[in-house]
Amino acid sequence: MTKQTVSAKTRRQFVVRSTKASARLEHRVVPAEHVRSAKVEKFVESLRSKR
């Protein structure tokens, strides 16, 4: 396998698709207009900064 650069937009699309799939498996519905809370965004950013 070779390393490939993935754009932020593409990563975001993967996250959205994964979130929807996970919700579907757990019989939950993720509204289209769903926005993460500031606390969750801060947590995700802290994970990204550890890389």
Side-chain angles (χ1 to χ4, degrees):
M1 285 179 83
T2 60
K3 289 187 177 184
Q4 295 181 353
T5 302
V6 179
S7 70
K9 181 180 178 183
T10 302
R11 283 194 310 266
R12 175 75 176 146
Q13 289 172 338
F14 280 124
V15 170
V16 169
R17 186 172 60 186
S18 175
T19 301
K20 287 180 182 179
S22 176
R24 212 173 17 255
L25 288 171
E26 296 174 2
H27 304 290
R28 294 181 289 115
V29 176
V30 178
E33 67 279 354
H34 174 72
V35 178
R36 289 180 177 160
S37 70
K39 186 175 180 181
V40 171
E41 284 295 337
K42 185 176 178 181
F43 173 73
V44 171
E45 284 301 318
S46 74
L47 293 177
R48 288 181 186 151
S49 67
K50 291 180 181 179
R51 292 185 185 175

